[in-house]
């Protein structure tokens, strides 16, 4: 807000009011009117807010760690992602009993190999495996990522600090209403003897989007010394 | 109007009309490249040129979280479906599509949908917003 031209009459705008507050007012109005008209109930909204608070990338990390230690589970995950998630208590049918309206319940896990690296995007909006990874990071929703990763994946990954060797193929998966993707990264070679729980700590959100690969010194709660997190 | 005057008028109009407009009125003569540009929809971003990424993150605001849940509840109870929400966001137009935060698109689409389908009137929405605004200001 430009403070150098403020009026001093009764119509002076309130200090600090910005567009976010306007959206806050509009959201409250839309929600309260919808409830007053009986379009949905306050209880429906409360249940959705609870679901929203409980999703996050730790679900995806558990699925990847299980796939690393249990080859049979990995096969089931590659065959039917949603059913495999259910085995670990991650229910794509929550919170309505038939899934969320915006997340169609079909998940494809894309396995990285020494010759293939996968990365996910949604060029048309911001489709994302929400029940498994929580809400998408802001850059995933921004036009820049959506525009460029399908045409210049190697360059975009390099901007994230991930250099993919020229002999490794990069496959970009464009998410849509009917199909959601998750990247199944390769297990780092220096993790022999690690427990499933310990393995899960190195499976960060970005490794399941495909803009990073797991490293033993880069966990969900700590980063290598002297290196700042990109976020 | 005499035919000479009319011809002069036409000539004058043609002289002032932008060349672009003149060509666009004749769809069979435009290049493939221009046709593609004209038919390109606002939300179809894949492969479009752009600069470096902005990788910054922000903490989700309460209104963003509530907007997500409000839009989903409206779909859960059959007022719209998510495809309709996306279509309405895409149809907000280039200025709003690129000029507003991500969840503002959800919210504007929801408000317009409620009005379009007759669930609320614009007057009701404005009155409600004023009520909420007054309440927030009292609380502040």
């Amino acid at each position: 807000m430009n403070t150098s031209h403020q009026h001093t009459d009764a119509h002076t705008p309130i200090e600090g009011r910005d567009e976010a507050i306007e959206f806050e007012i509009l959201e409250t109005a839309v929600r309260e009117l919808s409830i007053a008209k009986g379009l949905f109930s306050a209880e429906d909204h409360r249940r959705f807010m609870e679901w929203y608070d409980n999703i996050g990338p730790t679900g995806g990390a558990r699925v990847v760690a299980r796939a690393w230690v249990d080859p049979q589970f990995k096969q089931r995950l590659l065959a039917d992602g949603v059913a495999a998630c259910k085995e670990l208590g991650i229910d794509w049918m929550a919170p309505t009993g038939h899934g969320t309206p915006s997340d169609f319940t079909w998940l494809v896990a894309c396995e990285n190999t020494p010759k293939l690296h996968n990365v996910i995007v949604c060029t048309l909006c911001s489709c994302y495996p929400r029940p498994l990874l929580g809400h998408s990071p802001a850059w995933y929703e921004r036009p820049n990522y959506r525009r460029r990763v399908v045409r210049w994946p190697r360059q975009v990954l390099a901007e994230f600090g991930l250099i993919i060797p020229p002999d490794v193929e990069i496959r970009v998966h464009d998410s849509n209403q009917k199909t959601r993707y998750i990247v199944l990264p390769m297990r780092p070679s220096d993790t022999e003897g690690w427990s499933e729980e310990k393995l899960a700590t190195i499976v960060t959100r970005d490794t399941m989007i495909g803009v990073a690969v797991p490293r033993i010194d880069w966990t969900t709660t700590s980063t290598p010394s002297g290196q700042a997190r990109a976020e | 109007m005499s035919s000479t005057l009319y011809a002069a008028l036409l000539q004058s109009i043609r002289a002032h009309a932008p060349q672009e407009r003149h060509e666009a009125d004749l769809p069979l003569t435009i290049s493939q490249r221009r046709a593609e540009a004209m038919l390109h929809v606002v939300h179809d971003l894949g492969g479009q040129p752009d600069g470096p990424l902005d990788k910054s993150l922000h903490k989700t605001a309460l209104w963003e979280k509530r907007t997500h849940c409000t839009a989903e509840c409206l779909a859960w109870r059959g007022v719209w479906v998510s495809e309709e929400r996306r279509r309405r966001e895409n149809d907000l137009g280039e200025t709003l599509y690129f000029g507003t935060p991500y969840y503002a698109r959800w919210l504007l689409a929801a408000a317009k949908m409620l009005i379009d389908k007759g669930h609320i009137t614009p007057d009701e929405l404005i009155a409600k917003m004023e009520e909420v605004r007054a309440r927030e200001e009292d609380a502040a």
Side-chain angles (χ1 to χ4, degrees):
Chain A
M1 188 184 291
N2 188 344
T3 49
S4 61
H5 291 98
Q6 288 220 343
H7 302 286
T8 48
D9 62 4
H11 301 291
T12 303
I14 291 168
E15 291 279 342
R17 183 174 289 278
D18 57 12
E19 64 172 13
I21 292 177
E22 293 306 312
F23 292 135
E24 213 173 290
I25 289 168
L26 180 57
E27 191 285 324
T28 308
V30 167
R31 174 166 38 86
E32 290 184 1
L33 282 173
S34 299
I35 292 171
K37 303 277 178 184
L39 300 178
F40 61 80
S41 70
E43 167 68 6
D44 290 343
H45 200 268
R46 189 202 59 74
R47 274 171 67 185
F48 238 103
M49 293 283 278
E50 195 174 29
W51 171 85
Y52 188 110
D53 283 335
N54 283 325
I55 53 171
T58 51
R62 279 165 50 221
V63 169
V64 170
R66 173 67 61 88
W68 282 348
V69 300
D70 181 347
Q72 264 105 49
F73 176 81
K74 188 174 97 178
Q75 289 314 313
R76 292 199 295 278
L77 174 67
L78 296 174
D80 184 345
V82 168
C85 289
K86 190 80 188 283
E87 290 180 38
L88 298 187
I90 298 156
D91 187 4
W92 281 66
M93 299 303 156
T96 66
H98 47 81
T100 78
S102 292
D103 304 284
F104 196 78
T105 50
W106 180 246
L107 174 73
V108 175
C110 309
E111 187 184 12
N112 283 354
T113 70
K115 287 287 161 218
L116 173 67
H117 181 84
N118 294 289
V119 59
I120 65 171
V121 65
C122 174
T123 60
L124 292 178
C125 44
S126 63
C127 299
Y128 191 70
R130 273 195 204 94
L132 201 51
L133 293 187
H135 295 279
S136 49
W139 51 259
Y140 187 89
E141 297 161 359
R142 289 198 186 107
N144 324 37
Y145 181 74
R146 294 161 51 193
R147 283 185 180 123
R148 289 176 60 225
V149 77
V150 289
R151 187 162 284 179
W152 299 280
R154 248 169 245 278
Q155 290 83 342
V156 170
L157 293 182
E159 281 176 49
F160 280 94
L162 179 62
I163 310 292
I164 301 294
D167 61 326
V168 175
E169 182 191 338
I170 299 182
R171 207 168 283 169
V172 183
H173 301 269
D174 195 355
S175 315
N176 55 60
Q177 163 72 338
K178 300 287 180 260
T179 305
R180 301 301 163 91
Y181 300 94
I182 183 178
V183 176
L184 178 56
M186 282 187 291
R187 177 174 173 172
S189 54
D190 36 10
T191 56
E192 277 96 36
W194 282 33
S195 70
E196 194 180 322
E197 290 71 27
K198 192 175 175 191
L199 285 169
T201 63
I202 58 169
V203 186
T204 61
R205 179 196 62 208
D206 288 359
T207 67
M208 293 179 278
I209 297 176
V211 298
V213 292
R215 294 172 45 160
I216 57 165
D217 55 350
W218 191 294
T219 72
T220 46
T221 52
S222 73
T223 57
S225 56
Q227 199 163 4
R229 275 197 97 121
E231 49 214 70
Chain B
M1 190 186 291
S2 77
S3 63
T4 333
L5 269 175
Y6 182 66
L9 181 63
L10 269 189
Q11 201 179 1
S12 170
I13 289 170
R14 283 185 181 135
H16 285 90
Q19 197 61 26
E20 295 286 304
R21 172 71 190 269
H22 190 71
E23 287 186 4
D25 285 342
L26 299 168
L28 293 175
T29 70
I30 67 173
S31 69
Q32 183 64 21
R33 226 175 130 185
R34 183 171 293 177
E36 278 167 12
M38 286 168 71
L39 294 171
H40 190 265
V41 288
V42 64
H43 62 285
D44 185 10
L45 298 184
Q48 296 291 302
D50 200 27
L53 295 176
D54 172 5
K55 296 193 286 290
S56 64
L57 298 172
H58 72 279
K59 199 176 178 310
T60 305
L62 185 58
W63 74 266
E64 294 177 305
K65 176 173 153 179
R66 282 178 173 160
T67 295
H68 183 94
C69 296
T70 298
E72 293 289 74
C73 284
L74 285 168
W76 181 9
R77 296 308 178 195
V79 185
W80 63 355
V81 296
S82 61
E83 292 293 18
E84 183 184 354
R85 171 177 60 69
R86 293 194 183 97
R87 177 58 188 263
R88 283 177 178 275
E89 285 175 37
N90 299 343
D91 289 351
L92 286 173
E94 207 162 341
T95 306
L96 287 176
Y97 191 88
F98 292 114
T100 52
Y102 175 68
Y103 273 115
R105 300 206 292 267
W106 287 50
L107 183 55
L108 293 169
K112 284 169 81 110
M113 180 275 292
L114 290 175
I115 291 170
D116 287 352
K117 293 192 175 175
H119 291 295
I120 60 172
T121 65
D123 285 354
E124 268 178 318
L125 182 61
I126 290 164
K128 188 71 183 178
M129 285 178 74
E130 286 312 311
E131 180 201 316
V132 174
R133 193 187 306 276
R135 209 163 68 196
E136 302 268 310
E137 280 167 13
D138 280 350

